[in-house]
Amino acid sequence: PEAVVALVEDRAAAVAGALGACGQTSPAAAGAPALQTGQRFRWTCSMAVPRTFPLWAEGISRFAKHVAACSGDRLQIEVIGINDKIKGLGETFEAVKQGRIEMAHAAAYYWYGKSDDLQAAPFFTSVPFGMDARGMSAWLAAGGGQELWDELYAAHGLKPFPCGNTGVQAGGWFRQPINNLADFQGLKMRIPGFGGQVLARVGANPENIPAGDIFLALQTGRIDATEWVGPFHDQLQKFHQVASYYYTDGWHEPGSCLELTINKAAWDGLPADLQAIVAACAAEADAWLTTQWTARDSAAFKELQQVPELQIQPYPAEVIEGLKPHAADLLAEVRDSSPLAKRIHDSYRAFQKQYGEWFGLNSLPYYRAWDV
Ligand code: CA
């Protein structure tokens, strides 16, 4: 048996090393039970998207296959889509919290409004004029973000991992051009979360519409504009057929970090080697999803550039500058919602400022000079 244990430990260590992972947690240090090689686990992971959703579902299915392969099938995770067994996003959160399922793949900002303390949850996905994917990952892994996230979610019996980042999302699709802030007056736009709240402050009517209904709403003029994700997913929705203006710089979601949340009792009940495998495979899935978004968005954008009559451009500078103070006001209100929200806000903003100082003189001038 010792040899088997050593082999399993070696295997887990090798997997963790090979996947370049282990940056997020130190599962073995968390007081996990001793290695129990005979015990088998069957988990269910519900996603925030349908079972066949391109890219996103591919990444999570791949994660589940890796966990099974690395654990010799001792931990098998069935991946299901939204509404397959658990109806809706709110119910998904409750199902993991209560342990009806062990795991979900979603995004922290979906839980905003579920309880007072979760008002700060969007900081763990993306906030308007917040950090890009690189800064977000750095804050979580090396700036104290993960510890604050663990603390926020522990109160709900959950253990979170970052798992995929969309990068800077696309600004959105509009039927009419946006030249200044006044053009948002009365505009009906599908834009959830903090981005929508910022637009409401300049007179827009933001709303959230399920993915499958956005195209028809935009086509019929029930809404005037929508944001979605980025060129790859936007193109699949065919928004370019019903809107002529594509604004490219998604100030509202500058690097949306998706999450893998695990019921904490289920997580604490895993042997140390399986915890290491889950953490390593989650980190690998995080990297895989992020790189897929980068590659597929740029490929899809090349195709969108060929669409006749489609006007592609960043938002006018005066629009971006005009929205910024409203975003700052909103984040300040969230900061004041609870002591933990203040700590999360202050940590995030301090990290963004420090990251931004170097970014501003290092990456930004380079990107401006970059001959693309
Ligand atoms: Ca979005």
Side-chain angles (χ1 to χ4, degrees), residues 109-110 166 169-170 190-192 227-230 234 252-253 256:
Y109 65 0
Y110 293 141
T166 65
Q169 294 205 357
R190 184 268 176 199
I191 174 169
E227 70 82 53
W228 180 229
V229 186
D234 291 6
H252 61 297
E253 291 191 59
S256 293

Side-chain angles (χ1 to χ4, degrees), residues 44-58:
T44 299
C45 176
S46 188
M47 296 182 292
V49 294
R51 184 68 192 83
T52 55
F53 196 80
L55 196 164
W56 181 317
E58 294 166 48

Side-chain angles (χ1 to χ4, degrees), residues 41-86:
F41 299 84
R42 291 188 66 90
W43 282 10
T44 299
C45 176
S46 188
M47 296 182 292
V49 294
R51 184 68 192 83
T52 55
F53 196 80
L55 196 164
W56 181 317
E58 294 166 48
I60 301 312
S61 299
R62 198 171 165 280
F63 159 77
K65 281 193 191 119
H66 280 166
V67 170
C70 293
S71 69
D73 286 335
R74 285 167 51 227
L75 175 53
Q76 294 185 37
I77 301 170
E78 183 193 6
V79 178
I80 59 174
I82 190 162
N83 299 330
D84 285 351
K85 283 183 193 166
I86 311 295

